[in-house]
Amino acid sequence: MVGMVLRKTGIFLLTVLKWGLLMLLWVLKLTLGMAKLFPLLFALVVRMVLVVCTGNPCA
């Protein structure tokens, strides 16, 4: 009886740990994806500001 309870508890804890690690991996992927995207968005905004300020579309 005690062995069965310990086994089920262990399976439950492993499942919780697995889901926690998967969520951590997902958050890490999302963060790194945003970190890659941020410089591109920043460059686009800077280019738009330069075009508006200088009036030169090739700025």
Side-chain angles (χ1 to χ4, degrees), residues 30-51:
L30 190 66
T31 304
L32 290 176
M34 300 265 279
K36 285 182 193 173
L37 192 61
F38 181 74
L40 294 173
L41 289 174
F42 183 71
L44 181 65
V45 168
V46 168
R47 187 172 174 90
M48 286 171 49
V49 168
L50 284 174
V51 167

